[in-house]
Amino acid sequence: GSTDLFAVQRKIAGPGAIPSWKSGAFNHELDVTLTGNPLTTEILYTTDGSDPRESGRLYSGPIHVDEGTTNLQYVARGEGGTSSAVKSETYTVDMTAPEVTASVSGGTFDAVQNVTLSSPEATARIYYTLDGTTPTTNSPSYGGGVIRIDQTSTLQAIAVDALGNASEP
């Protein structure tokens, strides 16, 4: 014969909190809310990466996150002194558009011009037009090399970073 023996163990969850935004990079400011579960009586947090159990502020409303990197650390507390583990989220807010430069400044020339475009932001993509229209991400993408200008043209270019921040033409 055989027997099937098993035991069911029930663990009661303790206090906890959930952020409205998960870690990531953003091209806009954030207002992060922390929502506690029913066993949470208070949430303590810091925005400088320090331990919220030691130097945390009492959460009372959205935490504003602006340009730069913010390391949010938070802990939930319940009745009787129970606490959740310290959790963290890292937010990088970059609202600065990359720059784009041309190797030759505009002007009137008697010879063909070979122009290169560059951006100090390595991940930026560069888009350009030669007819004076404003470039968009649907315009030709600059892939390096030279743009040969052998007739009257108006070169305009933009750089767009990975978060969608775009420079002025």
Side-chain angles (χ1 to χ4, degrees):
S2 69
T3 59
D4 292 323
L5 297 175
F6 61 92
V8 175
Q9 293 181 339
R10 184 174 174 188
K11 293 186 177 185
I12 298 174
I18 298 173
S20 58
W21 291 93
K22 293 293 185 185
S23 294
F26 305 88
N27 67 354
H28 56 85
E29 295 178 349
L30 305 172
D31 285 315
V32 179
T33 57
L34 296 173
T35 305
N37 69 20
L39 297 177
T40 300
T41 56
E42 68 181 12
I43 301 169
L44 299 172
Y45 74 96
T46 62
T47 56
D48 62 2
S50 61
D51 190 331
R53 296 171 296 190
E54 298 170 10
S55 58
R57 291 174 275 180
L58 182 62
Y59 176 77
S60 62
I63 302 162
H64 187 72
V65 178
D66 54 15
E67 187 104 17
T69 299
T70 299
N71 187 348
L72 174 66
Q73 301 276 335
Y74 57 96
V75 63
R77 289 189 177 161
E79 291 185 24
T82 59
S83 294
S84 68
V86 174
K87 304 282 181 117
S88 71
E89 302 292 338
T90 301
Y91 307 107
T92 301
V93 176
D94 174 7
M95 300 183 301
T96 304
E99 295 178 11
V100 61
T101 57
S103 61
V104 177
S105 296
T108 303
F109 304 95
D110 294 330
V112 170
Q113 296 297 303
N114 290 318
V115 181
T116 59
L117 302 173
S118 62
S119 175
E121 192 167 323
T123 61
R125 297 205 55 180
I126 299 173
Y127 301 90
Y128 70 97
T129 61
L130 293 171
D131 60 5
T133 60
T134 301
T136 68
T137 55
N138 292 322
S139 299
S141 177
Y142 177 72
V146 297
I147 300 171
R148 181 177 167 84
I149 301 181
D150 58 5
Q151 62 185 4
T152 300
S153 301
T154 301
L155 171 64
Q156 290 203 55
I158 60 170
V160 181
D161 68 16
L163 295 176
N165 298 310
S167 65
E168 294 293 320

